[in-house]
Amino acid sequence: MKNRTLMVSALSALTITLGLGVALAQTPALTKGLKITLLPKNINNPYNVIETSGGLAAAKEIGAAAKVVGPSDAGASSQVSYINTAIAQRQDALILAANDANALLPYLKRAAAGGMKIVTMDSDTAPEGRTLFINQANSEGIGRAQVQLLGKLTNYSGDIAILSATPNATNQNTWIKWMQEELKLPKYKNMHLVKIAYGNDDDQKSFTEMQGLIQAYPNLKGVISPTTVGISAGARYLSTSPLKGKVMLTGLGTPNQMRQFVKDGTVSAFQLWNPADVGYLATYAAAALASKQITGKTGETFMAGKLGKYTVGKNGEIVLGPPYTFDKSNIDKFNF
Amino acid sequence: MKPAPPAPSSLVARLRGLLGWEATIILLVFVALLAGALLSPDFLTASNLSFLTANFSEVALMALSMTLLVIVAEIDLSVASILGLCSSLLGVLWAAHVPMPLAIALTFVAGGLAGLLNGLLVTRLGLPSLAVTIGTLALYRGLAYALLGDRAIADFPAAYTNLGFGMVPGTQIPIPIALFLVLAILTTVLLHATAFGRGLYAIGANEVAARFAGLRVERVKLTLFVLSGLMAALAGVVYTFRFSSARADNATGFELGVIAAVLLGGVSIFGGRGSVVGAVAAVFLIGIINGALTIVDVSNEVLTIVTGLLLIGSVLVPNLLGRLRVARERRQPRGDAVS
């Protein structure tokens, strides 16, 4: 009994010290009143709203003036005018999820030449376009984890398909590459990837693509949709289909979007990270750059508020953490 | 002998007498610049204005040929689709290791052929250009997707992409805008100082009379549709290099911006009236309003609404002015009905 009390107090003391340490390590170094622009792929996508809300929360903590701007469509060139506006407005940092890895490069280089710090989150540009890339999770980890989850749900047999976003979305394609790698392992020898469909991150297109997959492949046992728009549109179609509960749908979705489909048995399990944490981490990283705490070199560390300490990895990549699996047992603990 | 102008009887008449529609638009450009400067200290900087103008290069280029078409009372709604098709073709050719000068030349051929098809359908079959080009709007965009699917081609050589987003050496003038200004001068000369250009007004004002006067109406219209296709091809090349990205969905919806500019510039949708200066000023006006609203973080939806209102206004206001004039002339019959 006494030992436990002792341990608890020791732990508390440690926590307080760590907390103080965190406060001491970051507060004096971050510049106050930084101007930060958050530029998501498009502004009407619920995922992006959550992601940027995390960024705004972090900005509030560090006393930065942050704002969210962006196009209403996810076209390659739609983000360019916002980058240029950020240049004109002399923002200290720009945090963006790139719609196209290359179309933005010349404009990002122009922004960087003027002293603006560029951080990408969840969809990267070519490395010369930014200093840091905030990756939600290791791409390999996400790709493999989704196939592992679907394998478990389908007893490792039958035809499977992928319902992706746009064909040139950098993040989607990297995950799909790792899914294909995972599928080469012997335990998946009875699982066959028959089609990669593209819903263009558009609700209706994703819905009809899901319908098309079900009609075209009678032996379809599972679909992975690594996009929040795709998985919810797919689940909506599946929930009204006679194949509800027979074709397994998994992928990346948000708990609020997927709650009803998990409860009505359309979807057993899906994965994600906390998108608000992605924006939160990106904002701390951008602030650390703009405050000259770090320069973006491999091995540098900085504190990201409630998320703790992060290290800059190879090629300026910072990984938030492993993906998380949501199912009936835990979905009600999350609200985003 | 030209009769003396009527005494300005109303504010509208005074405005017309003093300024004319084109001058009004040019004045509004300066008002918009001033308003932008008041809204944000970052607006009236060389780099911002430079970007802002670069941003409407493609619309500006296509507005030149659209001006000529609308003056002969025709329209080409397929320009943005031709742009997308040409951009995709350029990408596909480059990806297939076709040397860039040849790829660009072939892109122009494709744009010219697209315009030729529009022109043939209108002049040989006598179909209304509105209907024809709504059809080819879908057709050419479809062909672009057939060429490139959902892929994007991005690895264009820097020597060419620099032409897209670079500046004229020693200035802040974007290269595509410099190109546009040269072409705008050429178009002005063509329209206002050649027999061909005068003929366009005659055709637009009264096609039957123009035919009787010996103008080869079909041939002129066909030429203008081909020109429109070529201009869309040029805009496609500019767009591809400016964004270093060839995609089938490039410039989707740009035809609305082009037509909005041409109509706002005072070119009559019924043909026979308008000038290059008006259309060019209107392109700048819309671009500057968009830029000013963007820099104060007005949302994209509002920008679209503003463009829509400008389009409606550009048709409505000249129409109302015309009606007012007719009503006034009825009340005070004079010998100066022809203005």
Side-chain angles (χ1 to χ4, degrees):
Chain A
M1 230 22 217
K2 205 171 178 193
N3 272 348
R4 186 183 282 179
T5 320
L6 252 176
M7 245 173 69
V8 169
S9 14
L11 268 177
S12 321
L14 191 66
T15 314
I16 291 164
T17 321
L18 273 176
L20 273 175
V22 168
L24 286 174
Q26 76 187 34
T27 313
L30 282 182
T31 310
K32 290 274 171 203
L34 289 171
K35 290 192 284 182
I36 300 174
T37 292
L38 290 140
L39 176 53
K41 285 186 173 185
N42 58 334
I43 41 170
N44 302 322
N45 178 330
Y47 174 87
N48 292 333
V49 172
I50 298 160
E51 189 175 51
T52 51
S53 73
L56 294 178
K60 205 170 167 192
E61 285 175 19
I62 59 182
K67 63 180 174 195
V68 180
V69 294
S72 43
D73 64 296
S77 50
S78 315
Q79 289 176 313
V80 167
S81 67
Y82 295 93
I83 296 172
N84 284 283
T85 302
I87 298 173
Q89 293 171 333
R90 289 181 289 250
Q91 299 283 297
D92 296 301
L94 173 71
I95 299 167
L96 85 156
N99 282 335
D100 188 297
N102 294 292
L104 305 172
L105 278 184
Y107 302 94
L108 291 174
K109 282 180 187 163
R110 196 183 284 175
M116 200 187 300
K117 303 298 177 196
I118 316 276
V119 175
T120 53
M121 57 184 180
D122 73 30
S123 189
D124 200 8
T125 64
E128 65 260 37
R130 47 73 177 169
T131 308
L132 295 175
F133 168 46
I134 309 302
N135 206 344
Q136 313 90 348
N138 184 295
S139 296
E140 179 177 354
I142 292 176
R144 289 187 186 276
Q146 303 218 335
V147 172
Q148 287 157 6
L149 178 61
L150 189 62
K152 227 184 291 171
L153 294 173
T154 59
N155 282 325
Y156 302 95
S157 72
D159 288 350
I160 65 161
I162 293 170
L163 175 58
S164 181
T166 53
N168 51 327
T170 334
N171 50 351
Q172 303 276 330
N173 289 343
T174 317
W175 298 332
I176 291 170
K177 197 190 80 196
W178 283 111
M179 289 179 201
Q180 287 164 327
E181 282 300 308
E182 178 75 11
L183 281 167
K184 286 178 189 161
L185 298 180
K187 66 172 163 176
Y188 303 106
K189 65 178 189 299
N190 295 324
M191 273 169 79
H192 308 288
L193 176 59
V194 289
K195 164 109 180 172
I196 301 172
Y198 296 97
N200 287 344
D201 258 347
D202 176 272
D203 184 72
Q204 281 186 28
K205 178 106 198 294
S206 306
F207 188 90
T208 50
E209 288 291 329
M210 184 70 184
Q211 192 175 14
L213 286 174
I214 300 249
Q215 281 164 358
Y217 302 99
N219 293 324
L220 197 70
K221 288 287 174 291
V223 176
I224 299 174
S225 185
T227 152
T228 56
V229 180
I231 192 175
S232 63
R236 213 171 66 244
Y237 174 73
L238 207 53
S239 69
T240 61
S241 142
L243 293 169
K244 169 178 164 182
K246 298 195 179 88
V247 171
M248 292 295 142
L249 173 65
T250 182
L252 303 175
T254 72
N256 286 353
Q257 260 181 324
M258 300 304 292
R259 198 176 321 272
Q260 77 176 97
F261 303 117
V262 168
K263 296 207 163 168
D264 76 6
T266 307
V267 170
S268 306
F270 64 96
Q271 299 176 317
L272 199 70
W273 46 89
N274 186 341
D277 284 350
V278 177
Y280 184 93
L281 175 56
T283 301
Y284 267 95
L289 278 175
S291 308
K292 299 190 169 64
Q293 272 184 354
I294 56 172
T295 61
K297 275 206 275 297
T298 310
E300 285 176 334
T301 60
F302 65 100
M303 296 304 302
K306 63 174 185 189
L307 295 177
K309 186 166 151 186
Y310 278 88
T311 306
V312 180
K314 224 174 66 189
N315 284 327
E317 190 171 315
I318 298 169
V319 180
L320 175 68
Y324 184 89
T325 302
F326 300 91
D327 57 24
K328 239 180 198 145
S329 73
N330 62 23
I331 194 164
D332 280 336
K333 291 183 200 152
F334 298 92
N335 181 25
F336 67 85
Chain B
M1 271 277 286
K2 229 181 157 187
S9 56
S10 68
L11 180 67
V12 172
R14 197 171 296 145
L15 257 179
R16 264 187 56 81
L18 279 175
L19 298 170
W21 185 254
E22 283 86 355
T24 312
I25 297 292
I26 293 172
L27 183 73
L28 285 177
V29 168
F30 288 102
V31 172
L33 281 173
L34 188 69
L38 292 175
L39 281 173
S40 162
D42 301 319
F43 180 74
L44 221 53
T45 60
S47 66
N48 185 51
L49 292 180
S50 168
F51 160 69
L52 192 152
T53 47
N55 212 20
F56 56 72
S57 327
E58 296 85 10
V59 166
L61 287 167
M62 294 189 289
L64 293 177
S65 46
M66 190 69 82
T67 301
L68 305 184
L69 266 178
V70 176
I71 284 176
V72 298
E74 299 291 351
I75 201 162
D76 184 353
L77 293 175
S78 69
V79 283
S81 296
I82 299 179
L83 191 166
L85 175 59
C86 289
S87 176
S88 303
L89 181 65
L90 186 61
V92 166
L93 291 172
W94 176 243
H97 308 291
V98 175
M100 190 54 92
L102 179 60
I104 293 174
L106 290 173
T107 300
F108 275 103
V109 170
L113 286 176
L116 183 67
L117 178 62
N118 284 338
L120 288 175
L121 288 173
V122 171
T123 58
R124 293 290 181 271
L125 299 184
L127 301 171
S129 54
L130 191 73
V132 165
T133 56
I134 283 180
T136 53
L137 179 154
L139 171 68
Y140 298 148
R141 188 64 74 182
L143 287 175
Y145 277 103
L147 269 181
L148 206 49
D150 286 334
R151 281 187 302 144
I153 289 162
D155 56 342
F156 294 100
Y160 288 92
T161 53
N162 283 338
L163 291 176
F165 55 75
M167 310 288 173
V168 175
T171 69
Q172 292 269 19
I173 302 170
I175 291 171
I177 285 296
L179 177 69
F180 161 73
L181 291 174
V182 171
L183 291 174
I185 291 167
L186 289 178
T187 313
T188 309
V189 171
L190 177 74
L191 182 61
H192 301 289
T194 67
F196 179 83
R198 303 243 146 247
L200 301 187
Y201 288 104
I203 293 169
N206 189 336
E207 196 177 311
V208 178
R211 218 181 287 272
F212 278 120
L215 284 169
R216 307 174 84 161
V217 174
E218 270 68 36
R219 182 184 285 193
V220 168
K221 286 189 175 177
L222 195 61
T223 309
L224 292 184
F225 276 106
V226 172
L227 194 67
S228 179
L230 289 172
M231 207 58 123
L234 175 62
V237 173
V238 168
Y239 191 104
T240 309
F241 291 149
R242 201 159 74 82
F243 295 107
S244 184
S245 174
R247 282 172 43 145
D249 65 350
N250 275 355
T252 303
F254 272 34
E255 65 279 347
L256 286 186
V258 174
I259 288 158
V262 169
L263 298 188
L264 181 63
V267 182
S268 167
I269 188 80
F270 306 110
R273 262 206 275 150
S275 69
V276 176
V277 175
V280 170
V283 168
F284 277 80
L285 179 61
I286 295 173
I288 288 165
I289 290 174
N290 269 307
L293 292 177
T294 307
I295 208 165
V296 290
D297 298 325
V298 166
S299 78
N300 215 37
E301 287 79 357
V302 176
L303 290 183
T304 314
I305 292 169
V306 168
T307 312
L309 289 176
L310 279 175
L311 183 55
I312 293 170
S314 62
V315 180
L316 204 62
V317 174
N319 203 317
L320 286 180
L321 287 179
R323 281 183 194 201
L324 275 171
R325 191 159 48 90
V326 170
R328 201 185 61 211
E329 279 156 6
R330 274 208 195 123
R331 258 182 277 123
Q332 323 170 285
R334 278 169 188 262
D336 61 290
V338 179
S339 59

